[in-house]
Amino acid sequence: MKKFILIIILLLPVNIYAKEYYTNYIYEKESTKKEPESALVKVEKSRIYANYQIIKEDFGYQKEENCHANINYEDSKIIKEYNSSDMYGTGKTTNALLGTDDIIRYIIIRQYPYENQNKRINISNIEVSSKEINIEYDSFKDVEYKDQKFFLILDLKKGYHLNDLNVVIFYDAFFDEDFVYNFDFSKKKLPPYLGYVYKIETKKNSNMTNLEFYNLDEFNQIIKTSPSLISNPSDNSVSYYYNESKIFKCTKEEIIYSENYTETPPKNYYQDKERYQDIYKYYKREVFDIKDEINSVEDYITLINSSLSSSKYQIETNLDITKEGTYLIKINYLDNTIYHKVKLNQKIINIPKEITSLPNNTVNKEISKPQIKQETIKNNHSKKLLVNKTEDQKIPRTTIKTSENTQKVLQKESKIKSHFICILITILLIFVLIIQKIKTSFVESV
């Protein structure tokens, strides 16, 4: 029994102190598959959406029945369509080419009326206007002069600019065929006179003629629009039927999706909120477990334990294993800087050369620990951790991309206190002694 108690006493551990330092989180990967979190891996869920562009194709202005895409009814134009046949049933117009801009007073009509075997067509009325104001005129019918017979002479009573005039001629019946007669515009009532002569070509199936005057550019535009309206390019008037039509802006829109899903749309793209994917972003951090005291060769060898390969980080320290004392260790890993004090309680001599205690990239130098501001925070498991905030101007640091919620280097003090173990062992010893005493008393009574 005494041997058993002695063994337990010898096995009583001394105080063991160590600290764990956690580095900042670094983005590692993303995946559509969710993997479990751990002390070193953090997972963030996010949703990405399909992106698309709207490609518009412009078909110009079209008639409503000809536009087989999107019609903008608020964007329209009025156009005239010219034709030599009465395909629209809207009446006939004769456009006359202006000559010299001169003043005229008389309108003279010769070679009329129209007659054939079936019927005679007379002029029932003539309306004359200037700048949209009606003109009252005197008319003289069947005027003869020097063996010439004039069907009708209109006296406008004063002179008007020819380019301001608009003349509308009404007939008392519809024409069965095309018929041509002359209109003279003159300053004088009877020959010899100075004026302009125009061919009035009345079209089949029409019962009126609208005579308008245009300058050369406007006249040529009509000829260019429908060359078939005039048979002889030397003619200074052209007769046609026309129709006014409304045309609309005609466009076509096509939606084209991108192959990439993103959280926010790229430039010139829209997002389809109905088409999405859930992804998981993974952030990883590393841990350094550093002892507070060195009491043996074993403590020295296992002074620093890390989830990283020793080639990934650098150590700076003024540790001298041949002298007792307190030393400072500085660990540099990417943008993380860790400061840790270690106490050497006894000299370590004759350490075997084959033992590599600290990484090969350890730099032995005098270092000073900057002022450290410590504040208490809570992690996801509501355990208190210490935030180690440092400002080091001496040693440059490598900048890496981290998440917005990147934490500072965290240190967690891990202590295994022997007095708790001693209490447990003491309870165990008392229990053993009680059992032993009961057992002895029982033997003696027997």
Side-chain angles (χ1 to χ4, degrees):
M1 183 63 188
K2 292 180 179 180
K3 292 181 179 180
F4 176 72
I5 295 174
L6 180 61
I7 292 172
I8 292 176
I9 293 173
L10 292 176
L11 290 177
L12 282 176
V14 294
N15 287 348
I16 300 174
Y17 297 92
K19 288 180 181 176
E20 289 179 343
Y21 295 87
Y22 291 93
T23 65
N24 298 330
Y25 280 104
I26 300 175
Y27 174 79
E28 186 178 29
K29 64 177 182 178
E30 68 179 37
S31 172
T32 56
K33 182 180 179 182
K34 185 176 182 180
E35 299 175 9
E37 289 187 315
S38 67
L40 301 181
V41 177
K42 180 176 68 174
V43 183
E44 290 183 356
K45 179 182 177 181
S46 61
R47 180 163 287 182
I48 55 178
Y49 300 91
N51 301 304
Y52 65 90
Q53 282 183 314
I54 300 177
I55 307 300
K56 293 185 177 181
E57 188 174 357
D58 190 351
F59 295 100
Y61 291 88
Q62 302 283 342
K63 289 184 178 180
E64 184 176 7
E65 61 270 20
N66 295 335
C67 182
H68 303 293
N70 298 323
I71 299 177
N72 184 357
Y73 290 99
E74 296 181 357
D75 188 357
S76 62
K77 293 181 179 180
I78 300 295
I79 61 168
K80 280 186 177 182
E81 295 179 293
Y82 309 101
N83 200 284
S84 59
S85 61
D86 188 14
M87 59 186 298
Y88 303 112
T90 56
K92 184 190 74 66
T93 292
T94 295
N95 276 351
L97 174 61
L98 284 171
T100 304
D101 187 10
D102 207 345
I103 303 296
I104 65 98
R105 175 174 173 174
Y106 297 95
I107 301 176
I108 302 169
I109 302 175
R110 294 180 290 174
Q111 300 171 345
Y112 208 87
Y114 167 83
E115 291 182 298
N116 62 19
Q117 295 179 353
N118 298 322
K119 62 181 177 182
R120 172 189 173 109
I121 300 178
N122 295 309
I123 295 176
S124 60
N125 187 30
I126 297 178
E127 292 181 355
V128 183
S129 61
S130 175
K131 297 181 179 179
E132 300 184 354
I133 299 175
N134 289 334
I135 299 174
E136 293 185 1
Y137 57 82
D138 294 330
S139 62
F140 306 93
K141 191 174 181 181
D142 297 328
V143 178
E144 293 187 8
Y145 177 76
K146 292 183 180 182
D147 299 329
Q148 294 188 51
K149 186 174 182 179
F150 301 93
F151 174 72
L152 185 64
I153 297 176
L154 304 182
D155 182 2
L156 305 184
K157 300 181 182 181
K158 70 175 184 177
Y160 290 91
H161 285 287
L162 186 62
N163 60 327
D164 293 334
L165 290 183
N166 183 62
V167 181
V168 182
I169 307 156
F170 297 93
Y171 308 103
D172 59 5
F174 287 88
F175 285 89
D176 297 328
E177 59 187 356
D178 294 346
F179 175 69
V180 179
Y181 63 98
N182 291 334
F183 252 45
D184 295 344
F185 294 85
S186 177
K187 294 182 178 180
K188 296 182 179 181
K189 181 177 180 180
L190 295 172
Y193 54 81
L194 177 63
Y196 306 95
V197 180
Y198 295 100
K199 290 182 180 180
I200 307 300
E201 182 182 357
T202 55
K203 290 290 188 177
K204 180 180 178 181
N205 297 326
S206 64
N207 67 343
M208 64 172 288
T209 296
N210 185 14
L211 179 60
E212 296 177 344
F213 297 90
Y214 288 88
N215 61 36
L216 181 61
D217 291 339
E218 295 170 330
F219 186 80
N220 286 337
Q221 182 62 34
I222 294 173
I223 302 302
K224 181 180 178 181
T225 303
S226 184
S228 63
L229 298 180
I230 186 168
S231 56
N232 185 355
S234 64
D235 290 345
N236 59 0
S237 64
V238 55
S239 298
Y240 53 85
Y241 294 98
Y242 77 91
N243 179 50
E244 290 186 355
S245 300
K246 181 176 281 190
I247 55 177
F248 303 92
K249 192 69 171 179
C250 184
T251 59
K252 182 180 179 181
E253 292 185 354
E254 184 179 1
I255 297 177
I256 300 179
Y257 279 86
S258 169
E259 295 180 356
N260 298 324
Y261 283 63
T262 58
E263 291 186 65
T264 57
K267 186 177 180 180
N268 300 325
Y269 276 83
Y270 303 92
Q271 283 195 319
D272 186 346
K273 297 299 183 179
E274 301 297 324
R275 298 173 63 175
Y276 59 85
Q277 293 178 353
D278 287 332
I279 62 169
Y280 301 90
K281 295 181 179 180
Y282 294 89
Y283 300 87
K284 187 178 180 182
R285 65 177 178 176
E286 308 296 338
V287 61
F288 290 90
D289 192 339
I290 310 175
K291 292 181 178 179
D292 285 343
E293 297 181 1
I294 300 175
N295 298 301
S296 64
V297 174
E298 179 66 24
D299 290 343
Y300 178 69
I301 295 172
T302 59
L303 177 63
I304 299 174
N305 289 312
S306 174
S307 56
L308 282 169
S309 167
S310 60
S311 62
K312 297 292 182 65
Y313 59 89
Q314 184 187 62
I315 298 175
E316 296 178 15
T317 182
N318 58 354
L319 177 60
D320 185 351
I321 59 175
T322 64
K323 297 179 181 180
E324 294 182 358
T326 301
Y327 298 93
L328 187 62
I329 294 176
K330 179 180 177 182
I331 298 178
N332 296 312
Y333 169 64
L334 299 180
D335 64 344
N336 303 276
T337 303
I338 299 171
Y339 291 90
H340 181 80
K341 286 184 178 180
V342 61
K343 185 177 182 181
L344 182 64
N345 291 325
Q346 61 182 27
K347 300 178 183 180
I348 300 178
I349 57 176
N350 300 326
I351 185 170
K353 293 183 180 180
E354 64 271 13
I355 295 178
T356 304
S357 57
L358 296 177
N360 294 328
N361 56 346
T362 300
V363 178
N364 292 317
K365 60 184 291 188
E366 289 292 334
I367 57 176
S368 59
K369 185 176 182 181
Q371 184 178 0
I372 299 175
K373 180 181 177 181
Q374 294 186 338
E375 58 187 36
T376 303
I377 64 171
K378 294 184 179 181
N379 66 356
N380 295 333
H381 303 288
S382 298
K383 293 182 179 179
K384 290 185 178 181
L385 302 177
L386 295 179
V387 178
N388 189 0
K389 296 184 178 179
T390 64
E391 292 295 334
D392 183 15
Q393 302 291 335
K394 299 179 181 179
I395 302 175
R397 303 176 186 176
T398 304
T399 302
I400 59 173
K401 184 178 179 182
T402 60
S403 69
E404 294 180 359
N405 297 322
T406 298
Q407 299 180 12
K408 300 293 183 181
V409 177
L410 300 180
Q411 67 176 24
K412 181 174 66 176
E413 187 172 8
S414 302
K415 296 184 179 182
I416 305 175
K417 295 183 179 287
S418 62
H419 62 269
F420 291 116
I421 300 175
C422 289
I423 292 172
L424 293 176
I425 294 175
T426 302
I427 293 172
L428 179 61
L429 286 175
I430 293 172
F431 178 76
V432 172
L433 290 173
I434 293 172
I435 295 298
Q436 183 66 31
K437 187 174 181 180
I438 293 172
K439 184 177 179 181
T440 303
S441 299
F442 177 76
V443 172
E444 290 176 354
S445 63
V446 172

